């Protein structure tokens, strides 16, 4: 994200007195190392603050509701005598009367300071989820991260991450390409363009919006912001809590509570940065006979077999982690009916069969029509002894397949593509429904999850969208890479859990978005396990996380469920 300090300095009245696009004056140097630039003086005060190395703000008593957001750097905030550390995209909500100061830690920092002086809206009431377990407010005085917030649909392709502040609201509103955000009449609000470009429309007039522009809407005004060609993210500050935001926040919390209890948080099972051997890139989880199997590969960081880490790994029934075979660089895995595992070997570019002890028992597929495969990525069995696997690449040299594809290996060993060559942009995760009638596919560079009907011979037909993911590539997701979707799994109600850059996105059997499960490190894949199959295990770069759910998954292979 470009620094908000690049905001234009001209004052531009736009469409009428009720909506204007504004710049800001030059930053004010409060003291050495501390500058403040006012993005919006009203209806809510929004300040952009820069702090130099070893710089602190003066202690003050907050006179209204405040939300403080760290944009970059690290700070230590002292709030009513309690010290807390805050990093990029952390935020804290504070009530009037709080005594507070903050100081940089190890370098400079940029913050957004939002002060809301409006009164509570007449239709705003403090509510719970219905079971008394969670209020809708973000707890005051506690540091949270933007990524922990639920995505709440505000329209087709428009999502909000909402921070209620009692007398107002702060929201991170995300517009996907081709979507339009409707600004409805209600409270006064200020909107800052954090990233992307859009078109602001009011009363038949149109004008461009660019990164770092600030738009103010007075109560009663209506307008729209469209992002026709690219994604866009807005910081919205309202002087009261609009009912539209409240309703969607309530609905989304209740939907996610069907699978995740209030207060449930990811648990770090294995920290590969400090474990022995260490982990580099975890993938391909499977639950088999009470043990958690997963892949770890380091092929881009050293010769295969030349390190202690890597290969097929296990967290056994004794809870201990060990490497079963470091001579194979594996990715996707899935249990087979004979008690072994089908495993994607990303160095030898094949799908192999491995025993639970990590020994190679045979080759399932390494070529089609006598031509080597590219690099099999993920695999899943069906109900009749067949196996699907995705191959997102072609061979680096020599004979190569016409393109990427999804392949099917029948119970008789015959192999063939079941999608068109290069029909999908990097096919990745794959899944077969519990009844064996539907195949699901995710792609690394597509936001759409696809579904197909499965024929009696394993062929796929009737391709159609199942769900559309919320894509990444926004300021507070920028350290999470460019991929969209990776591995996925299913519970016994037909809900699908998809590993994405900023967490697990959950959809019901109809493709309706239920919510996102925040994980501290980007997940690559997930699978259900545990004694009652209700624990969701997630492979996340050099870490393994789990979270308890109210759902129950299937024991694979599905034919043995």
């Amino acid at each position: 994200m470009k620094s908000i300090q690049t905001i234009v300095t001209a004052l531009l009245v736009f469409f009428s007195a009720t909506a204007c696009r504004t710049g800001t004056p030059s930053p004010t140097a409060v003291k050495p190392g501390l500058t403040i630039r006012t993005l919006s003086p009203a209806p809510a005060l929004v300040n952009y603050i820069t702090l130099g190395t070893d710089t602190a703000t003066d202690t003050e008593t907050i006179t209204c509701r405040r939300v403080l957001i760290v944009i970059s750097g690290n700070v230590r905030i002292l709030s009513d005598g309690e010290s807390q550390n805050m990093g990029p995209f952390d935020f804290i909500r504070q009530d009037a009367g709080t005594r507070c100061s903050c100081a940089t830690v190890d370098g400079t920092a940029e913050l957004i300071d939002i002060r809301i002086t409006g009164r509570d809206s007449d239709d705003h009431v403090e509510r719970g989820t219905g079971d008394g377990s969670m209020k809708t407010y973000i707890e005051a005085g506690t540091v949270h991260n933007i990524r922990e917030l639920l995505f709440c649909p505000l329209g087709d392709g428009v999502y909000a991450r909402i921070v209620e502040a009692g007398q107002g609201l702060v929201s991170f509103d995300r517009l996907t390409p081709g979507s339009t955000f409707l600004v409805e009449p209600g409270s006064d609000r200020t909107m800052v363009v954090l990233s992307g470009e859009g078109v602001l429309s009011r009363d038949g007039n149109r004008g461009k919006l660019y990164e770092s522009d600030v738009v103010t809407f007075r109560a009663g005004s209506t307008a729209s912001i469209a992002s026709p060609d690219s994604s866009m993210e807005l910081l919205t500050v309202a002087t009261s809590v609009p009912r539209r935001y409240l309703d969607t926040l309530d609905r989304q919390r209740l939907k996610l509570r069907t699978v995740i209890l209030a207060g449930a948080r990811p648990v770090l099972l294995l920290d590969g940065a400090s474990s022995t051997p260490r982990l580099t890139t975890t993938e391909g989880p499977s639950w088999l006979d009470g043990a958690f199997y997963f892949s770890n590969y380091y092929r881009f960081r050293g010769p295969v077999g030349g390190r202690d880490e890597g290969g097929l790994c296990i967290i056994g029934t004794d809870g201990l982690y060990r490497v079963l075979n470091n001579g194979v660089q594996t990715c996707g895995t899935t249990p087979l009916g004979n008690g072994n595992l089908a495993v994607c070997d990303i160095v030898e570019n094949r799908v192999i069969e491995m025993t639970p002890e990590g020994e190679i028992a045979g080759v399932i597929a390494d070529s089609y029509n006598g031509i080597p495969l590219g690099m099999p990525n993920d695999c899943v069995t069906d109900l009749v002894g067949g196996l699907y696997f995705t191959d997102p690449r072609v061979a680096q040299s020599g004979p190569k397949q016409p393109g990427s594809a999804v392949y099917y290996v029948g119970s008789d060993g015959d192999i063939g593509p079941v999608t068109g060559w290069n029909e999908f942009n990097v096919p990745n995760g794959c899944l077969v429904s519990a009844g064996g009638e539907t195949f699901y596919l995710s792609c690394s560079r597509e936001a759409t999850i696809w579904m197909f009907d499965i024929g009696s011979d394993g062929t796929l037909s009737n391709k159609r969208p199942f769900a559309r993911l919320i894509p990444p590539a926004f300021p507070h997701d920028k350290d999470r890479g460019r991929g969209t979707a990776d591995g996925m799994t299913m519970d016994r109600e037909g809900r699908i859990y998809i590993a994405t850059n900023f967490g697990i996105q959950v959809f019901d059997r109809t493709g309706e978005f239920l919510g996102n499960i925040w994980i501290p490190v980007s997940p690559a894949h997930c699978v259900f396990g545990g004694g009652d199959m209700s624990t969701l295990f997630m492979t996340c770069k050099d870490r393994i996380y789990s979270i308890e759910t109210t759902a129950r998954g299937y024991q694979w292979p599905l034919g043995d469920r």
Side-chain angles (χ1 to χ4, degrees), residues 112-159:
I112 294 180
D113 182 345
I114 301 168
R115 313 219 177 183
I116 303 172
T117 57
R119 64 180 179 84
D120 287 329
S121 60
D122 294 336
D123 62 354
H124 177 68
V125 292
E126 185 172 344
R127 300 169 325 290
T129 60
D131 59 5
S133 60
M134 173 182 268
K135 294 180 179 179
T136 58
Y137 291 116
I138 294 291
E139 182 182 359
T142 301
V143 173
H144 299 270
N145 192 278
I146 295 169
R147 290 169 170 159
E148 298 179 53
L149 302 176
L150 284 177
F151 278 106
C152 300
L154 289 178
D156 188 15
V158 181
Y159 301 88

Side-chain angles (χ1 to χ4, degrees), residues 320-544:
L320 299 179
Y321 150 63
R322 60 187 184 276
V323 175
L324 296 175
N325 188 328
N326 71 338
V328 180
Q329 288 289 270
T330 61
C331 194
T333 73
T334 193
L336 296 170
N338 62 3
N340 288 340
L341 290 163
V343 178
C344 294
D345 179 347
I346 63 173
V347 169
E348 297 297 331
N349 303 326
R350 59 187 182 171
V351 182
I352 58 178
E353 181 177 341
M354 298 185 74
T355 69
E357 294 72 37
E359 298 177 358
I360 298 177
V363 176
I364 297 174
D366 60 4
S367 63
Y368 168 65
N369 278 347
I371 299 174
L373 299 172
M375 185 188 292
N377 180 278
D378 197 16
C379 54
V380 64
T381 55
D382 62 11
L383 271 66
V384 294
L387 177 83
Y388 293 92
F389 68 90
T390 58
D391 192 356
R393 302 188 182 186
V394 296
Q396 296 284 319
S397 60
K400 57 187 67 178
Q401 301 295 344
S404 63
V406 178
Y407 291 84
Y408 181 70
V409 183
S411 57
D412 57 2
D414 284 347
I415 177 176
V418 288
T419 63
W421 302 114
N422 294 323
E423 183 177 355
F424 300 95
N425 198 342
V426 191
N428 194 325
C430 53
L431 187 65
V432 171
S433 65
E437 70 282 353
T438 309
F439 178 84
Y440 299 89
L441 176 69
S442 71
C443 302
S444 295
R445 296 177 185 170
E446 294 186 25
T448 300
I449 303 299
W450 299 96
M451 62 190 301
F452 305 77
D453 295 336
I454 297 177
S456 59
D457 57 355
T459 55
L460 303 179
S461 63
N462 191 23
K463 166 189 168 184
R464 58 204 184 274
F466 165 70
R468 186 165 180 82
L469 299 171
I470 305 170
F474 287 87
H476 50 271
D477 298 320
K478 65 183 179 182
D479 64 329
R480 299 202 159 198
R482 297 182 179 180
T484 299
D486 208 321
M488 49 189 174
T489 194
M490 174 185 288
D491 69 19
R492 298 193 180 196
E493 298 298 321
R495 292 175 289 238
I496 293 181
Y497 303 69
I498 305 165
T500 69
N501 286 47
F502 48 78
I504 305 293
Q505 296 188 43
V506 187
F507 297 85
D508 70 11
R509 63 171 64 245
T510 69
E512 181 180 353
F513 178 67
L514 299 182
N516 55 291
I517 304 171
W518 174 79
I519 312 296
V521 178
S522 292
H525 212 316
C526 55
V527 71
F528 279 98
D532 60 357
M533 299 298 292
S534 64
T535 303
L536 188 66
F537 293 88
M538 295 155 286
T539 54
C540 308
K541 294 184 179 177
D542 63 350
R543 302 178 189 180
I544 304 294

Side-chain angles (χ1 to χ4, degrees), residues 82-314:
E82 180 183 358
S83 178
Q84 299 181 77
N85 292 327
M86 298 177 64
F89 303 106
D90 283 343
F91 70 90
I92 188 170
R93 183 179 76 80
Q94 297 172 312
D95 292 333
T98 302
R99 284 184 59 77
C100 169
S101 66
C102 64
T104 53
V105 178
D106 300 327
T108 63
E110 300 171 300
L111 304 91
I112 294 180
D113 182 345
I114 301 168
R115 313 219 177 183
I116 303 172
T117 57
R119 64 180 179 84
D120 287 329
S121 60
D122 294 336
D123 62 354
H124 177 68
V125 292
E126 185 172 344
R127 300 169 325 290
T129 60
D131 59 5
S133 60
M134 173 182 268
K135 294 180 179 179
T136 58
Y137 291 116
I138 294 291
E139 182 182 359
T142 301
V143 173
H144 299 270
N145 192 278
I146 295 169
R147 290 169 170 159
E148 298 179 53
L149 302 176
L150 284 177
F151 278 106
C152 300
L154 289 178
D156 188 15
V158 181
Y159 301 88
R161 281 172 159 172
I162 300 168
V163 181
E164 289 182 86
Q167 290 173 307
L169 170 145
V170 175
S171 177
F172 297 86
D173 298 329
R174 177 171 296 195
L175 284 69
T176 58
S179 62
T180 299
F181 180 95
L182 298 178
V183 182
E184 299 172 338
S187 64
D188 294 342
R189 70 187 72 185
T190 296
M191 305 180 84
V192 181
V193 181
L194 295 180
S195 68
E197 298 179 359
V199 177
L200 174 63
S201 300
R202 175 178 168 80
D203 296 334
N205 298 308
R206 292 161 56 88
K208 287 284 291 185
L209 284 177
Y210 300 94
E211 185 173 306
S212 302
D213 278 347
V214 180
V215 185
T216 298
F217 297 95
R218 298 301 181 186
S221 64
T222 59
S224 67
I225 298 175
S227 55
D229 302 317
S230 62
S231 299
M232 188 178 186
E233 189 157 53
L234 307 168
L235 171 66
T236 298
V237 182
T239 55
S240 63
V241 183
R243 172 60 62 180
R244 176 187 180 193
Y245 281 81
L246 287 179
D247 289 345
T248 189
L249 180 59
D250 281 348
R251 285 195 302 269
Q252 213 55 43
R253 277 188 166 146
L254 289 173
K255 287 178 182 178
L256 191 59
R257 292 297 167 261
T258 61
V259 294
I260 302 292
L261 290 175
R265 297 184 64 83
V267 175
L268 179 60
L269 292 183
L270 180 60
D271 185 353
S274 59
S275 64
T276 304
R278 295 195 174 190
L279 299 174
T280 302
T281 305
T282 59
E283 254 283 10
S286 284
W287 183 262
L288 178 63
D289 294 333
F292 177 69
Y293 291 82
F294 64 96
S295 296
N296 179 64
Y297 59 84
Y298 57 86
R299 64 161 296 185
F300 304 111
R301 304 193 182 192
V304 177
R307 296 158 62 133
D308 291 334
E309 71 174 74
L312 185 65
C313 305
I314 185 175

Side-chain angles (χ1 to χ4, degrees), residues 20-99:
C20 62
R21 189 177 96 192
T22 66
T24 60
S26 300
T28 300
V30 178
K31 64 180 184 179
L34 171 61
T35 64
I36 296 179
R37 183 189 291 264
T38 300
L39 302 182
S40 173
L45 178 63
V46 182
N47 284 328
Y48 178 81
I49 300 173
T50 59
L51 285 171
T53 303
D54 298 324
T55 302
T57 64
D58 294 333
T59 300
E60 65 170 319
T61 300
I62 306 299
T63 59
C64 58
R65 301 289 176 92
R66 164 178 151 169
V67 176
L68 185 68
I69 307 164
V70 177
I71 298 300
S72 68
N74 296 283
V75 301
R76 181 174 295 110
I77 186 165
L78 188 64
S79 182
D80 282 341
E82 180 183 358
S83 178
Q84 299 181 77
N85 292 327
M86 298 177 64
F89 303 106
D90 283 343
F91 70 90
I92 188 170
R93 183 179 76 80
Q94 297 172 312
D95 292 333
T98 302
R99 284 184 59 77

